[in-house]
Amino acid sequence: MNGRDGMRAADSDREAVADRLRVALGEGRLDLHEYDERLQRAYAARTYAELDALLTDLPPVAPPEHSTLAPVTAPAAGPLDGAVAGRPVAAAGGVTARWLAEVWLPYLKVIAIVVTIWAVTSLLSRDLLYFWPAWVAGPWGAVLVVRTVTGLAGGEPRRQAIERQRRRERKRAKRERRRELRAGEPDERDEPRPAG
């Protein structure tokens, strides 16, 4: 590779491609699976050539007043906590905070319970007992610290948010299909009853 294609891309270049992919998702040019796949490749891209390859089959973005395509209606808020509105997924709606809560809240609840048990037994025995909850808190906490660091470095909150959105879309599609099927079935009350 020579020239611009072989040059290393910056974070701002990756964000620009991610924004273009979000627009393509909002326009219906990409489905959610393909969007997720291309978004992961965009954030992993090292060179301009790798970034350009993600956009080759997408038309350039034209301002709405110059576009010859049908106008795009803005979708309701919600997909990926603002990703369609143009904001990065991780910065919109506390995706990272939600992921951290999912990782750490069970740990904090269990530690609160075992420390309470230790405190009550120490009070009942009227003696300060050996602090055994450290054997629960220490190893589990170390594992969670490693999981947190690797998860944040690897973009786990964003992937989880995308997967959560996929599940919501599938459920919504199922509900719509059921509604359509019910609408197509004749209602028993509408059928004439035989004379008895």
Side-chain angles (χ1 to χ4, degrees):
M1 285 187 267
N2 56 1
R4 180 184 176 276
D5 287 348
M7 291 180 158
R8 305 232 358 142
D11 286 341
S12 59
D13 300 317
R14 286 185 275 277
E15 276 301 319
V17 170
D19 288 342
R20 177 62 190 108
L21 292 173
R22 285 184 197 100
V23 169
L25 176 68
E27 293 172 340
R29 298 182 193 283
L30 297 175
D31 63 23
L32 203 52
H33 176 70
E34 190 173 14
Y35 164 74
D36 179 36
E37 181 182 301
R38 288 188 189 203
L39 188 64
Q40 287 179 11
R41 287 176 41 205
Y43 284 118
R46 293 184 183 160
T47 63
Y48 284 112
E50 292 172 353
L51 287 175
D52 291 342
L54 299 171
L55 304 176
T56 55
D57 61 340
L58 297 174
V61 177
E65 59 273 5
H66 300 303
S67 177
T68 58
L69 300 174
V72 177
T73 57
L80 303 179
D81 296 325
V84 174
R87 296 188 331 243
V89 172
V95 170
T96 303
R98 182 175 179 171
W99 180 79
L100 286 171
E102 288 174 358
V103 170
W104 283 93
L105 277 179
Y107 170 79
L108 295 174
K109 289 176 183 177
V110 169
I111 297 308
I113 291 169
V114 295
V115 168
T116 303
I117 293 170
W118 170 82
V120 168
T121 54
S122 290
L123 281 173
L124 292 175
S125 68
R126 295 184 183 168
D127 189 21
L128 195 59
L129 299 175
Y130 174 73
F131 190 69
W132 57 267
W135 290 102
V136 176
W140 190 6
V143 168
L144 287 180
V145 166
V146 170
R147 180 173 178 212
T148 301
V149 170
T150 58
L152 291 174
E156 185 64 26
R158 184 181 67 246
R159 276 197 299 275
Q160 239 183 34
I162 290 170
E163 183 56 36
R164 197 175 290 119
Q165 179 61 26
R166 278 189 191 146
R167 284 193 299 266
R168 276 192 225 118
E169 290 293 324
R170 283 194 294 262
K171 285 181 183 177
R172 187 174 53 78
K174 280 183 184 178
R175 280 195 303 266
E176 287 176 8
R177 271 183 269 156
R178 280 193 210 120
R179 256 188 244 130
E180 289 172 4
L181 288 174
R182 283 189 208 129
E185 293 175 0
D187 193 0
E188 292 175 5
R189 290 174 282 176
D190 294 339
E191 294 178 13
R193 292 187 180 165

